[in-house]
Amino acid sequence: VALRRSPRLLAAARGAGRRGAASSASAIGSPLLTPDVARGAGEAPPLSGWRERGAAVRAAAGAVWLPAACQALCFGTTLAAWPSIPGAACVEGGLARLGQGWWFTLVVLVYNVVDFAARLHLPLLQRLAARARPRSCLAACAARTLLVPLIYACVRPRLVHGMGGNVVLLLATALLALSNGVLATASMMQVARLAPEGLREEGVCVAV
């Protein structure tokens, strides 16, 4: 009723309707919104439904289960042995001046610095991921679990008494960090290499 009484409002409404129809038509015809261009060349179409998604995850898991198991074993071993266990060790000898608080900080610092330094050597890690077999990486992760009883034994009861026990703990923590940085990074690279084409995202989800 208001539009009939006001010709100016009626003309504005008609103009807005024509502009909306034109913009909708141009959006429909725009190549930016077509599925092929939106996905990109060579990219797999999006999966619809939980069944298709589950089938894709199962296919990816069958291809990347070895490096995924390496990831799980690597981080499981790290969390079982660091940081609370070595950080709770009694500080003896020359390191007793640090106190328990600074000793825990030193344990965390040694691990993080060594782990970060191991991940910086990208070309070496890429060669390792390309040449080493996934079973060999998994065997190395299994051998790495031997560090856990060593770290536990250096806390209570201590195999090495005095300052030597704290030094052994720091060396074991550094070795734990070095192996974590190398094996975790190399195995994740193998996940990206072994995952089927178009299912790399699912392969990473399986590993994570």
Side-chain angles (χ1 to χ4, degrees):
V1 177
L3 292 178
R4 290 178 182 177
R5 294 180 178 178
S6 177
R8 188 175 298 177
L9 289 177
L10 181 60
R14 287 177 178 176
R18 286 194 296 269
R19 288 194 299 271
S23 62
S24 300
S26 62
I28 294 175
S30 175
L32 294 177
L33 298 181
T34 57
D36 295 335
V37 177
R39 287 196 302 267
E43 188 176 348
L47 298 176
S48 59
W50 289 104
R51 293 184 178 180
E52 291 82 358
R53 186 70 174 180
V57 171
R58 287 193 298 270
V64 304
W65 73 271
L66 279 173
C70 184
Q71 287 278 309
L73 187 58
C74 185
F75 288 114
T77 302
T78 297
L79 293 177
W82 179 87
S84 57
I85 302 302
C90 298
V91 188
E92 299 179 359
L95 293 175
R97 300 176 181 177
L98 293 176
Q100 203 65 36
W102 283 107
W103 165 252
F104 186 86
T105 303
L106 180 61
V107 169
V108 174
L109 180 65
V110 167
Y111 180 91
N112 286 319
V113 169
V114 176
D115 179 73
F116 179 72
R119 297 173 187 268
L120 290 178
H121 297 80
L122 186 59
L124 179 61
L125 294 173
Q126 289 175 335
R127 289 195 299 269
L128 177 63
R131 297 177 181 178
R133 296 182 302 173
R135 292 185 183 275
S136 300
C137 290
L138 185 59
C141 289
R144 185 171 173 267
T145 58
L146 297 176
L147 291 172
V148 177
L150 174 62
I151 292 176
Y152 276 55
C154 287
V155 179
R156 291 185 183 89
R158 302 186 71 154
L159 289 178
V160 183
H161 297 279
M163 181 178 173
N166 297 105
V167 173
V168 171
L169 270 177
L170 291 178
L171 293 177
T173 300
L175 184 57
L176 186 75
L178 178 64
S179 56
N180 182 84
V182 171
L183 293 174
T185 306
S187 60
M188 185 56 75
M189 290 179 179
Q190 289 179 342
V191 168
R193 180 171 58 89
L194 296 176
E197 188 67 27
L199 297 179
R200 291 183 177 178
E201 180 181 352
E202 285 75 12
V204 172
C205 290
V206 170
V208 172

